[in-house]
Amino acid sequence: MTEQAASEKVVIKDADGNVTEEAAMQNGMLEGETVLYAKGRVQARLQFHEGKQHGEAVFLDEAGEIKVKSKYEAGTLQGESLYYGDAGKVIRKAAYSKGELHGWVIDYYPNGKAREISRYAEGVLNGQVIRYDKDGNATERLCFEKGKQRPCPQAAAPKKK
């Protein structure tokens, strides 16, 4: 027969008695949801497993609007993170692997069109960075290899028939 570990809820308060954190613990480690508060408002909802951040993390502003949604695995950022601006519009999407930018990062104008698209590998720019105007027209193209800017290859001219 296995023994079930006791779970407990921990509430942390500041010097004025205001709750600043509520956390679930098991075997002395964070397990499940932890909620962080600032000035009586929820500031973040974080998930933990065996003491490490694991699962979705949601950060809110003072009005309770979501500002960032990220995913964690075993304590490190992993997968897509979304960053929100006014009216809940996504202003940035960024891909992470093992806590570092890895993959596409897209920054958006308030109208929802891409402002800049870039590619990262293991935390450094690696590939093209394309910047756009508010109408969606490409205005600049830069190329990077392992974080260093390089000349972009010229596009092949179309063949005449």
Side-chain angles (χ1 to χ4, degrees):
M1 190 164 30
T2 59
E3 206 173 295
Q4 178 116 4
S7 294
E8 66 176 301
K9 184 173 183 175
V10 175
V11 177
I12 299 172
K13 297 180 180 183
D14 64 17
D16 296 325
N18 299 310
V19 175
T20 59
E21 184 175 340
E22 293 178 327
M25 298 196 68
Q26 192 167 355
N27 295 328
M29 293 187 288
L30 291 168
E31 185 67 37
E33 184 175 61
T34 291
V35 181
L36 304 177
Y37 296 89
K39 298 178 184 174
R41 294 186 178 111
V42 175
Q43 181 181 6
R45 292 185 176 279
L46 314 170
Q47 299 297 318
F48 286 84
H49 180 63
E50 296 180 351
K52 293 183 180 178
Q53 204 168 343
H54 190 87
E56 187 173 70
V58 178
F59 298 89
L60 305 125
D61 65 12
E62 287 184 7
E65 299 291 322
I66 296 172
K67 287 294 155 192
V68 180
K69 272 188 188 179
S70 298
K71 292 186 179 141
Y72 284 79
E73 285 185 17
T76 60
L77 275 168
Q78 184 70 27
E80 184 177 77
S81 287
L82 299 173
Y83 301 82
Y84 297 86
D86 296 335
K89 291 187 177 185
V90 174
I91 58 171
R92 178 176 244 216
K93 288 182 184 177
Y96 289 87
S97 178
K98 299 176 185 169
E100 295 184 323
L101 285 169
H102 190 80
W104 296 104
V105 174
I106 306 171
D107 292 304
Y108 295 93
Y109 285 108
N111 67 7
K113 294 191 180 206
R115 184 178 59 79
E116 180 177 289
I117 298 175
S118 53
R119 187 160 176 82
Y120 284 77
E122 298 176 350
V124 295
L125 279 167
N126 196 49
Q128 289 189 24
V129 173
I130 303 171
R131 295 186 177 131
Y132 299 88
D133 64 20
K134 290 181 181 181
D135 295 322
N137 302 305
T139 60
E140 186 175 21
R141 185 175 134 209
L142 306 168
C143 294
F144 289 83
E145 186 177 333
K146 296 181 182 176
K148 295 184 181 181
Q149 191 171 350
R150 303 278 188 230
C152 291
Q154 295 297 320
K159 294 183 181 182
K160 292 183 181 180
K161 290 187 177 186

